Amino acid sequence: MSLLARLAPHLPYVRRYARALTGDQSTGDNYVRVALEALAAGEQQLSPDMTPRVALYHVFHAIWSSTGAQLETGGLETTGGGDASQRLLRIAPRSRQAFLLTALEGFTPSEAAQILSADPRDVERLIADAQADIDAELATDVLVIEDEAIISADIQSLVQELGHRVTGTATTHDEAIDAVARHKPGLVLADIQLADGSSGIDAVKDILKTLDVPVIFITAFPERLLTGERPEPTFLITKPFQPETVKAAISQALFFHPSRQKQAA
């Protein structure tokens, strides 16, 4: 199989990553082009110890690290505004890379460490640093829809640790709708099965009729959402959950939600 055939399925994604990293599609595409030219000329090699996708991103970063220092500095100095790409450029370069590789591209921290030629523990720290920057900038009001008191308290504690405000809690569909009427949230965290037998899915559906906010489902019944019969949620966490998983989902949901980008622009 030719080099192009091996890499073709991954090129749209490395272009997406390059655009997010640089804040500009043409600049990002230029880095991708240089990386491909280096591979074609034999100046760079795909590592046999990595999957083709990981190896491609690794080569991209080899090119980036050798030529990207001036662009990094320029991007940080000229950024003004608040959309997602501009917010990214305000995050320290190494943290930005680790965050994007895991949050946007879906790599594991171990794969991101391979791409960045870093220790996995350092990558975990970089991701945490990026999330802290994001959470500080995007602090918002949160509605928690959860009928189990202990779990609700745990979620509220996690939300507050990230600097957000819990402005409403609900254990039923009707309570959730009432909570939104009293105070519009910037983020909703919802269970599926609620106290009176009502549905968190229906509650969220009704909320989204009038309010465009990111939603994270936290549930013991993920199969009720993963049916293939309707659009599936971007953020779905299965109980019992790990606190760090919830924190990461909150950061990503707020950062990448389209309506928030429009509001900030």
Side-chain angles (χ1 to χ4, degrees), residues 13-24 53 57 60-61 64 72 84-109 111-113 115-116 123 126-131 134 251-252 255-256 261:
Y13 302 102
V14 76
R15 288 184 65 232
R16 174 181 65 185
Y17 173 70
R19 180 193 185 284
L21 187 64
T22 64
D24 178 75
R53 184 169 182 243
Y57 280 70
F60 172 87
H61 266 281
W64 171 260
E72 290 279 13
S85 62
Q86 293 169 332
R87 290 196 299 268
L88 275 169
L89 289 174
R90 290 198 287 272
I91 299 174
R94 199 70 167 166
S95 294
R96 186 195 326 160
Q97 294 159 18
F99 174 75
L100 284 172
L101 286 169
T102 52
L104 181 64
E105 299 303 316
F107 289 110
T108 66
E111 290 171 329
I115 291 167
L116 297 174
V123 169
L126 290 168
I127 294 168
D129 289 346
Q131 290 177 349
I134 291 165
S251 298
Q252 294 169 28
F255 196 87
F256 291 112
Q261 295 177 28

Side-chain angles (χ1 to χ4, degrees), residues 146-159:
E146 169 60 62
D147 65 327
E148 296 185 45
I150 293 176
I151 295 177
S152 179
D154 287 342
I155 294 172
Q156 292 178 57
S157 178
L158 292 174
V159 166

Side-chain angles (χ1 to χ4, degrees), residues 201-213:
I201 300 173
D202 291 340
V204 166
K205 188 184 303 183
D206 288 342
I207 289 168
L208 294 180
K209 288 178 182 177
T210 58
L211 195 62
D212 185 12
V213 294

